[in-house]
Structures are given as structure tokens and as C-alpha cells.
Amino acid sequence: MTNEQLWQAALGEIELNISRANFITWFRDTYILKNKEGLATIGVPNGFSKEWLENKYNKLILRALRNVSGEIKELKFLINPAPSHQTIDRPLKAATKKEMGAPLTQPFQELEIDRETNLNPKYTFANFIVGSFNELAQAAARAVVGNPGEAYNPLFIYGGVGLGKTHLIQAVGNEIIEKYKKKKKVKYISSERFTSEVVGSLRAGKMDDFKESYRQIDVLIIDDIQFLAGKEKTQEEFFHTFNFLYQKNKQVILSSDRPPKAIATLEERLRSRFEGGMIADISQPDLETRLAILKCKVAEKKLVISDEVLNYIATHVQKNIRELEGALNRIIASNQLSAVEPDLNRVAKILNDVVNAPKKLTNYKNIIQAVAEFYDVHTSDLINRCRKKEVVYPRQIAMYLIREELKKSFPFIGEKLGGRDHTTVMYACEKLTKEVEKNNTLQQELILIKERVYSK
Ligand code: ADP
Ligand code: MG
């Protein structure tokens, strides 16, 4: 039985045990990542669902899974955007048919992923809200639609999690398909998937087929390219594919959580290729834009929610657009359960969980490890008296995060990180506190690192 079949069977049972709204809210975009030696790892779309599934549904999920496969003893949840090839379409679609109660908030558009292009039709320019935070990226993307392969090649979009990179690069693909009436072959792929294709083709001795199939493409879109870091063989294959397409004036579109120069262990020749095209960033949306996005989502769902409530959400959920949507969906879901227009008190109560979701305590070692991984330095260099230039900044970040997240004393932090004096730690924390206020990139780096810490 494949993981997918296993998960579908389990979902079928879970669905019978909880409300429709909860089922949709919490189990959409989940899947089994791994199932080995009694440990099933469930991929979830964000930290919030992870927390929720862990705390509220752990038992139920385990029971459902064990009913299908007795060997499973334990569950683990891992934040991982749903790969397009592993969506859970059947049980959810079946469920919509035997619908009871209020109509579903959203048809499962995201599940109608095109098998050939891997594109999800829900990502369009029409539902992509533009503000100063993503204006440049959006304009560049539009220019690429107008002149694929010629306007900006490659187009490199970067920004923190949940800010719209995937949405935007897929919108380009969808629009090109529509505009050129399928005359252009578009392919969207995550870099993890790309990597596993390379590895699989190598293993099966089918590298030529792999190369050939990529050379047919007119528009190649690769998401989260930072994951190619450190994967030499994949980078090599990507480099050849890239050059081939580039020389034929085929369009390449890439996304990443940081700019090319910040991707450690990215081969120089790739970096300079990326920098040779158009690089545009997406930063965080301001209040006004957050409100506009909420209004757009509500309209899409053909629902009515008062401005007061939307304002409240937009003011309180600031981190990224994915969370903003998540908060809105929670309000809608809870509203469906009670069928009363939500008032501000209830909204506040529901969002309290989202905004002030109790932080799980972590160990300072997890923070050090996450920082080391993120900046691609050795943990031992952070912990020891290493004076290499490249560890100075990561070490300061680790100091700052341990202070912020765990409120440890300055001497404690100094002792754990290179045997530094407490004044050094104080200085680092003060410096970064000021820097965070004005530095968007730093804010995003911190978000990414914290995600790593809390997803461990
Ligand atoms: P990323 O790939 O940067 O992590 P996504 O593209 O997955 O982020 O976006 C997260 C969610 O927010 C998606 O549901 C997406 O549709 C929505 N979203 C992001 N940016 C916008 C935008 N500018 N307008 C409307 N929705 C957006
Ligand atoms: Mg993405």
C-alpha cells in the first residue's frame, strides 16, 4: 500500500469523526511524508496546523492510521508545503457529494492540479493583490508573460515564507498557457521534486530521458531553489538544463527564500546565471494590503464578513499572507459551525489562538542548530571559540534568538556560544533589536529560522 493510499484510507475514517469544517480546515494539504519503522511522518502546510493536529487530533489520527496499518506506533508532524503530486483529492471530493449542513466555503480548486504542467489553476494574476511590497515582482512576472524567454531571463523571485512566491510564479505559468493557447509547454516543479527526479533517473540509468524531457519545455518554473544548495549532482544537471533552455530563448523562472548571493553552497556558475536575469523580491504586506487581500478572499468565497471583523484580522495577523488566510479560514470555519455572523468578541477569541498560539518551549541547542543550518556553518564553530569571520553574524543571531525566545541570561548565552563575555552578548542583542526594526531581510531570516526551530 502506498503512503497515499494509506493516508486516504485514514482520512476516510477521520472524516467520520469530526465536523466537516474542521476536517477541511485541518486536513486539507496534509499527506504522509514518510512511514518507516512504526513512525509515520505527516506533512502539514504550516506551523499552525502542525500545532493543532499535534494537540487536538494526534490520537484520532493515530487510531485511524492503525486501523489501516497496525505497524504504526507513533506520529510526527512536519511543516512541508503539500507537493502537488500528493494531494488528497479523493476523500475530500467524495465528501463534498454527501454534503450536509452549510455549503463548503471553497471548492477544492487547489486539488485540480494539471498533470502535465503541475500548475494549480487557483493561482492567477486576477486574484493576486499588488501593493508596494510585491509590485516589482508582479511587474516583472507580467513582463515575462508578455515576452517569455525575452523580457527577463531567468526571472528570480525571492521572499520569506507565505508571501506569495508560489502564487506569483504559478500565475505566470497559468497565464502563459491561456495566452498562448497551450502552444507553449510549461512545467512547474518544486526543487525537491526536481532533485528526486535527478536522483531517480541516475539510479535507473535514465538520465538521457530526463534531459530530453526537460529540453522540450518552453517555460520552466522551479520553486524554492534554495533547496538545491549543497546538492552538487542536481545543481550540475540543473545547470545543463538551464543553459540549454536559456540558449534557445526559453523562459526560466525561479523562486527562493533569499537572494542568490545569500544561498550558501550554490555553485558560483549558477549564482552568476541567476544574477544575470531579473531579481525581484517580495517583502511583507502593510495593513492596507492585508485588508485588501482579506476582502479579495472573502469575495472569492462569496461570503460576507463585516469590515470590522476583517480589520481586526488584518491588524492582528501580520506575519505573512498564508497565516492571514489561515486566520480567515478559521473564522469562517467556526462561523459555519455556529451559523451566526461572528462578532468581534468571538473573532478575538478565535484569533487569540492564532496570534498568541502558545509557543512550545525549545532548547537553546535547537536554536543553535537551526541557526547553523540556516547559515550553513558548523554548530561546533558557533559553540567553540572559533573566530572565523563567517560565524560572527550567525553567532550574534543565535545569541539574539536565545535571548528573545528563551529569555536566558546574558552570561548563560555567552558561555554557550564561544565563551563570550556577557557584554558581548548584550551588545549583539541590542544591535539586532535595533536592526530588526528596519531590516526586512533580517525579519524574514528570523522567521525562517524560528520555523526551523519550532518544526523540529
Ligand atoms: P510562498 O510560496 O511565498 O511561501 P504562497 O505563494 O504559497 O507563498 O502564498 C501563500 C498564500 O497566500 C497562498 O494561498 C496565496 O494564494 C496567498 N497569497 C500570497 N500572496 C498573495 C497576494 N498578493 N494576493 C492574494 N493572495 C496571496
Ligand atoms: Mg512557496
Side-chain angles (χ1 to χ4, degrees):
M1 186 188 270
T2 65
N3 285 343
E4 199 175 344
Q5 290 164 335
L6 173 60
W7 192 228
Q8 307 227 356
L11 284 176
E13 179 172 333
I14 292 168
E15 191 190 356
L16 300 175
N17 284 287
I18 60 179
S19 77
R20 184 86 200 110
N22 271 319
F23 182 66
I24 293 159
T25 311
W26 303 116
F27 289 90
R28 176 159 60 194
D29 293 338
T30 59
Y31 55 97
I32 296 185
L33 259 171
K34 239 196 279 174
N35 177 22
K36 244 197 193 143
E37 287 148 17
L39 175 70
T41 307
I42 318 284
V44 302
N46 54 50
F48 189 51
S49 10
K50 174 170 183 280
E51 198 152 16
W52 201 262
L53 290 173
E54 253 167 15
N55 295 333
K56 305 258 175 193
Y57 294 123
N58 198 50
K59 255 199 202 140
L60 174 64
I61 300 170
L62 189 58
R63 198 175 62 214
L65 278 171
R66 292 189 63 139
N67 285 344
V68 191
S69 159
E71 295 113 63
I72 298 175
K73 302 262 168 333
E74 214 187 324
L75 295 182
K76 194 173 134 192
F77 296 88
L78 204 65
I79 303 170
N80 215 328
S84 49
H85 58 296
Q86 286 178 351
T87 39
I88 46 172
D89 59 21
R90 248 149 300 128
L92 289 179
K93 275 201 183 125
T96 20
K97 279 188 204 116
K98 58 171 185 198
E99 191 65 80
M100 20 171 219
L104 217 52
T105 45
Q106 202 177 15
F108 285 100
Q109 250 186 25
E110 55 251 73
L111 300 169
E112 293 163 16
I113 289 158
D114 186 288
R115 293 210 175 274
E116 214 164 289
T117 63
N118 278 336
L119 288 168
N120 185 329
K122 80 166 184 170
Y123 295 124
T124 62
F125 278 103
N127 61 12
F128 189 78
I129 306 282
V130 185
S132 55
F133 73 109
N134 62 6
E135 213 169 12
L136 176 64
Q138 193 262 5
R142 281 222 180 260
V144 164
V145 173
N147 257 324
E150 290 177 16
Y152 298 119
N153 207 10
L155 172 62
F156 189 104
I157 305 284
Y158 76 92
V161 259
L163 292 174
K165 302 181 297 294
T166 298
H167 187 137
L168 184 60
I169 60 180
Q170 290 217 22
V172 175
N174 281 321
E175 186 101 350
I176 288 179
I177 293 279
E178 191 166 318
K179 185 168 168 201
Y180 299 87
K181 302 273 176 279
K182 304 203 166 163
K183 288 218 180 73
K184 290 205 184 283
K185 193 165 157 47
V186 177
K187 176 158 176 154
Y188 166 87
I189 189 164
S190 67
S191 46
E192 287 113 320
R193 183 82 186 276
F194 184 81
T195 304
S196 78
E197 280 189 13
V198 170
V199 174
S201 306
L202 278 173
R203 200 175 290 149
K206 293 198 168 146
M207 217 47 220
D208 287 345
D209 295 353
F210 172 88
K211 286 197 174 110
E212 193 45 38
S213 74
Y214 275 85
R215 291 178 179 193
Q216 309 298 323
I217 296 169
D218 295 299
V219 180
L220 175 61
I221 307 173
I222 304 198
D223 211 349
D224 291 316
I225 199 90
Q226 74 273 8
F227 292 129
L228 290 194
K231 302 193 175 109
E232 280 165 33
K233 189 62 202 160
T234 309
Q235 287 194 29
E236 161 109 27
E237 283 313 322
F238 176 68
F239 182 74
H240 294 310
T241 302
F242 179 93
N243 278 347
F244 183 91
L245 295 176
Y246 184 80
Q247 276 157 15
K248 297 237 152 169
N249 281 341
K250 307 295 187 188
Q251 180 71 45
V252 178
I253 303 171
L254 306 162
S255 88
S256 165
D257 66 350
R258 46 201 122 145
K261 65 174 180 309
I263 309 179
T265 67
L266 181 69
E267 274 185 47
E268 198 44 50
R269 55 181 182 172
L270 273 181
R271 194 186 320 255
S272 66
R273 282 288 186 286
F274 295 169
E275 283 172 348
M278 169 74 173
I279 301 183
D281 77 316
I282 301 186
S283 58
Q284 271 160 327
D286 56 21
L287 176 63
E288 200 180 310
T289 318
R290 293 200 297 274
L291 192 56
I293 291 171
L294 286 175
K295 287 191 172 164
C296 166
K297 305 278 172 197
V298 172
E300 256 178 24
K301 295 175 204 281
K302 302 200 170 44
L303 292 170
V304 185
I305 294 185
S306 72
D307 277 358
E308 197 189 16
V309 168
L310 294 182
N311 248 315
Y312 188 93
I313 304 175
T315 316
H316 288 82
V317 184
Q318 307 173 343
K319 205 164 122 193
N320 64 45
I321 300 172
R322 191 173 297 147
E323 278 203 352
L324 196 63
E325 268 193 277
L328 178 67
N329 288 340
R330 286 211 54 195
I331 303 288
I332 294 171
S334 98
N335 191 36
Q336 276 189 338
L337 297 176
S338 77
V340 188
E341 161 79 11
D343 64 37
L344 215 48
N345 276 335
R346 228 182 70 226
V347 170
K349 209 158 157 274
I350 297 167
L351 284 197
N352 202 28
D353 296 347
V354 184
V355 183
N356 305 320
K359 252 195 220 146
K360 261 195 317 200
L361 273 186
T362 185
N363 187 296
Y364 76 91
K365 288 181 184 158
N366 291 341
I367 294 183
I368 296 178
Q369 198 193 343
V371 170
E373 278 168 19
F374 186 80
Y375 294 106
D376 212 55
V377 296
H378 289 294
T379 319
S380 56
D381 286 347
L382 293 179
I383 298 171
N384 299 332
R385 276 186 175 275
C386 170
R387 288 191 181 271
K388 280 186 215 152
K389 220 172 104 220
E390 67 267 33
V391 304
V392 174
Y393 181 67
R395 192 186 277 138
Q396 288 182 339
I397 296 280
M399 290 174 172
Y400 171 79
L401 280 173
I402 295 177
R403 179 74 184 169
E404 285 292 300
E405 297 297 296
L406 300 174
K407 311 280 177 247
K408 296 281 185 203
S409 74
F410 294 126
F412 174 90
I413 299 172
E415 190 203 45
K416 301 296 179 200
L417 285 163
R420 302 286 138 153
D421 190 74
H422 75 277
T423 51
T424 311
V425 183
M426 267 168 74
Y427 166 77
C429 292
E430 268 166 27
K431 187 184 101 175
L432 283 168
T433 309
K434 279 191 209 126
E435 186 68 21
V436 167
E437 299 260 327
K438 48 184 198 239
N439 184 336
N440 231 312
T441 318
L442 175 60
Q443 286 165 15
Q444 291 185 7
E445 283 180 11
L446 292 172
I447 291 172
L448 289 167
I449 297 170
K450 280 194 247 176
E451 264 187 10
R452 274 171 194 254
V453 171
Y454 292 104
S455 65
K456 278 192 196 304

